[in-house]
Amino acid sequence: MEWMIDDPRQFSDVDRAGGNVAIWYLKVGYLLKKPEMPEANIAIQTQMVNGGAISLRNADYTENQIKIGYEVKGFSLEEYNIAYELYHDGHLISTSGSTGGGLIELNEKHHYFIGHENITEMNLPESIHLNVEIKVIPNDFRQKSITSSFAVSLDKEVQ
């Protein structure tokens, strides 16, 4: 939050310092707020893999998009790339490289990812059985990728 001051000379040094402290406090307080995952909107599905855990926590299906939210614990983004693929009836709908999305970093080895695919050009039924593959891909090519598969049935939500 910033305030506009037409003529800063109208305030004393104490007033200006106090205002700066308030602005600094608001900015630092906001930055220090711990990020949080959204509440799950489906039954959480978790798979334990190689000392970590991958969980599908959210899935939405509307006439315009499919959106998923998944949690990955135990893998550093400096050492691994995280990707996903969405399938319906065995047909690839989307990959994380072709979609929008987001990331909430909860700590160095705990992340929440959001992926969404625009489906306005696809002719999908009112209810779908969505298969989600979440891939943990090591930067070291000598290691094997880890794939966790999840299935969820979704009804199209009308917006």
Side-chain angles (χ1 to χ4, degrees):
M1 177 183 292
E2 299 277 341
W3 289 285
M4 298 300 294
I5 301 172
D6 294 330
D7 183 3
R9 292 174 290 168
Q10 67 188 5
F11 296 97
S12 69
D13 289 338
V14 172
D15 290 332
R16 282 194 301 261
N20 287 337
V21 169
I23 291 170
W24 179 84
Y25 175 77
L26 290 172
K27 287 181 179 177
V28 171
Y30 176 76
L31 293 174
L32 293 178
K33 184 180 176 189
K34 186 177 178 182
E36 297 177 359
M37 284 186 291
E39 290 293 322
N41 70 348
I42 61 170
I44 298 171
Q45 301 175 44
T46 301
Q47 293 182 11
M48 306 302 286
V49 291
N50 290 25
I54 300 172
S55 301
L56 181 64
R57 299 177 53 89
N58 290 287
D60 294 304
Y61 173 41
T62 66
E63 55 196 28
N64 296 320
Q65 76 175 0
I66 294 174
K67 183 176 177 182
I68 61 166
Y70 56 99
E71 176 184 17
V72 178
K73 289 183 188 179
F75 300 96
S76 167
L77 294 184
E78 292 178 10
E79 299 173 22
Y80 296 90
N81 291 308
I82 313 297
Y84 71 85
E85 294 178 348
L86 302 179
Y87 294 88
H88 168 63
D89 286 340
H91 297 99
L92 181 65
I93 295 175
S94 171
T95 65
S96 52
S98 68
T99 65
L103 165 69
I104 299 172
E105 185 173 46
L106 301 162
N107 68 42
E108 182 184 344
K109 292 187 174 186
H110 188 191
H111 300 86
Y112 180 80
F113 295 86
I114 302 162
H116 55 85
E117 176 66 26
N118 181 346
I119 58 168
T120 55
E121 302 295 319
M122 296 180 197
N123 188 20
L124 296 173
E126 292 298 312
S127 295
I128 62 171
H129 185 74
L130 187 68
N131 293 310
V132 180
E133 288 189 359
I134 299 170
K135 299 176 184 239
V136 178
I137 306 161
N139 292 334
D140 182 349
F141 68 91
R142 295 170 291 189
Q143 297 178 7
K144 290 189 175 205
S145 295
I146 302 162
T147 300
S148 292
S149 297
F150 303 95
V152 62
S153 294
L154 299 171
D155 293 326
K156 189 183 290 184
E157 298 174 18
V158 179
Q159 295 182 345

